[in-house]
Amino acid sequence: MNQTTSNGESVHHDVFRDMLTETSGAYYLPAPQGGYTEFVYNYTIDAGWNADEIYVLAFVRDVTTGEIINSGTPSDPIVLSTKSAVSEPITLFPNPASDATSVQLPATEKVKQLAVFNLEGRQVQTRYSQTGERLELETSNLTPGLYVLKVTGEQGVYTGKFVKE
């Protein structure tokens, strides 16, 4: 945000723009091991905002102790710029996966980078192969749980979630 304020500052970083839930937050019941809980919120980016600098920040807090268990950052793997992201997420199959999962990409897409992230946001090492428009991801080396796949191609960025059994 670039606006001169009463204290003379003209450049402001990480400006809070909108609260997507009620101020008290949204209650949720944690998913069982290997499962996941998902929330979907819609929001509109104001015409005066730079879409490349917008990100969603989420906090998960234990209501009994007040402890913050997890929080998001602008570098989280599932938060993508609206200009670089493909509008539709990818679907992985089979899902849940045991030894491998596949994704269908556009026929002309060439994969530049593949990253798999665990729920802590840490990138985990995996192997993959691509034949034509089909990408196969080996998952036998992953521990059971929920993962996010981010595929960066020459034409765009694709993301999807999968469960490893």
Side-chain angles (χ1 to χ4, degrees):
M1 177 172 139
N2 297 332
Q3 172 184 345
T4 303
T5 56
S6 60
N7 65 359
E9 292 183 23
S10 60
V11 177
H12 310 275
H13 301 282
D14 299 320
V15 175
F16 181 83
R17 297 291 190 173
D18 195 6
M19 179 106 175
L20 301 179
T21 66
E22 297 296 322
T23 56
S24 60
Y27 178 81
Y28 83 101
L29 195 58
Q33 184 175 359
Y36 66 94
T37 300
E38 183 174 353
F39 290 87
V40 176
Y41 296 96
N42 295 314
Y43 61 95
T44 303
I45 297 176
D46 187 278
W49 302 347
N50 182 346
D52 287 335
E53 295 180 3
I54 300 292
Y55 62 92
V56 175
L57 178 64
F59 292 94
V60 177
R61 180 176 66 94
D62 183 324
V63 294
T64 56
T65 65
E67 174 186 16
I68 301 296
I69 300 168
N70 188 25
S71 65
T73 71
S75 60
D76 283 350
I78 59 173
V79 177
L80 301 171
S81 162
T82 57
K83 289 193 175 181
S84 66
V86 172
S87 60
E88 292 296 319
I90 53 177
T91 301
L92 292 111
F93 54 93
N95 194 0
S98 56
D99 293 329
T101 188
S102 296
V103 62
Q104 198 80 19
L105 296 173
T108 57
E109 184 64 273
K110 290 190 170 73
V111 174
K112 292 167 47 178
Q113 181 181 11
L114 177 131
V116 176
F117 298 87
N118 63 17
L119 286 183
E120 288 86 36
R122 206 171 316 127
Q123 185 172 344
V124 294
Q125 297 299 316
T126 59
R127 294 184 301 232
Y128 73 96
S129 62
Q130 185 175 6
T131 55
E133 59 200 71
R134 184 175 170 151
L135 176 73
E136 185 164 296
L137 173 68
E138 183 179 318
T139 60
S140 61
N141 59 330
L142 299 175
T143 58
L146 177 66
Y147 293 88
V148 174
L149 172 65
K150 178 181 175 185
V151 179
T152 304
E154 290 180 348
Q155 300 171 24
V157 177
Y158 309 83
T159 60
K161 297 176 190 169
F162 69 94
V163 174
K164 163 65 167 117
E165 292 183 320

